[in-house]
């Protein structure tokens, strides 16, 4: 079993900043891709940003230049620095990790329970 625990969500004003963190624990041999997704009310869950174990990143067009994803492989953590927040960024943000639990074992995706981010206008 793998657990992902997010923290750092909250209420912020238009133009403000928040930093989300996610810590993975449990039966982990290695973590490949880690990512942040979000889901706004009435909308599908969407990828916000992802980062590979080697540090390659990708971002949704809507957050490029405002959000920065980073990770600490030694601590099995991933962070999302969110600047210049807009009301349309309001959503539940979910951490995702693609985990190998044993040497040469298969990769499996795991999700956190989510953290609410609300940007007021």
């Amino acid at each position: 079993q793998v657990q992902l625990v997010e923290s750092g969500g909250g209420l912020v004003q238009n133009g403000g900043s928040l930093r989300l963190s996610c810590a993975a624990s449990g039966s982990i041999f290695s973590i490949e891709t880690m990512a942040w997704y979000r889901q706004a009310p009435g909308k599908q869950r969407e990828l916000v940003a992802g980062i590979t174990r080697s540090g390659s990143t990708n971002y949704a067009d809507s957050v490029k230049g405002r959000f920065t994803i980073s990770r600490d492989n030694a601590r099995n953590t991933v962070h999302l620095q969110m600047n210049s927040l807009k009301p349309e960024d309001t959503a539940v943000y979910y951490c995702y990790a693609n985990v190998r639990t044993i040497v040469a074992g298969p990769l499996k995706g795991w999700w956190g329970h989510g953290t609410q981010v609300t940007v007021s206008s």
Side-chain angles (χ1 to χ4, degrees):
Q1 282 291 81
V2 174
Q3 297 80 40
L4 300 179
V5 178
E6 301 103 333
S7 61
L11 174 65
V12 65
Q13 289 188 334
N14 190 11
S17 297
L18 282 175
R19 179 177 170 85
L20 304 183
S21 295
C22 172
S25 62
S27 301
I28 298 171
F29 172 73
S30 67
I31 302 177
E32 299 307 318
T33 300
M34 300 188 82
W36 290 95
Y37 285 75
R38 68 186 180 188
Q39 187 166 19
K43 294 188 177 182
Q44 289 189 330
R45 191 173 297 190
E46 63 174 359
L47 175 68
V48 176
I51 184 168
T52 66
R53 185 171 182 80
S54 62
S56 296
T57 59
N58 64 291
Y59 296 91
D61 287 343
S62 59
V63 307
K64 282 180 181 177
R66 300 188 297 122
F67 292 9
T68 302
I69 189 171
S70 60
R71 66 186 283 179
D72 183 333
N73 291 332
R75 290 181 168 83
N76 290 332
T77 57
V78 63
H79 308 280
L80 185 68
Q81 178 65 44
M82 304 185 294
N83 298 329
S84 302
L85 282 160
K86 305 174 182 179
E88 51 263 44
D89 294 318
T90 295
V92 178
Y93 283 70
Y94 296 91
C95 177
Y96 172 87
N98 213 7
V99 179
R100 188 172 278 117
T101 57
I102 58 173
V103 175
L107 287 168
K108 180 179 177 181
W110 296 85
W111 293 92
H113 292 296
T115 185
Q116 177 70 45
V117 171
T118 302
V119 184
S120 65
S121 56

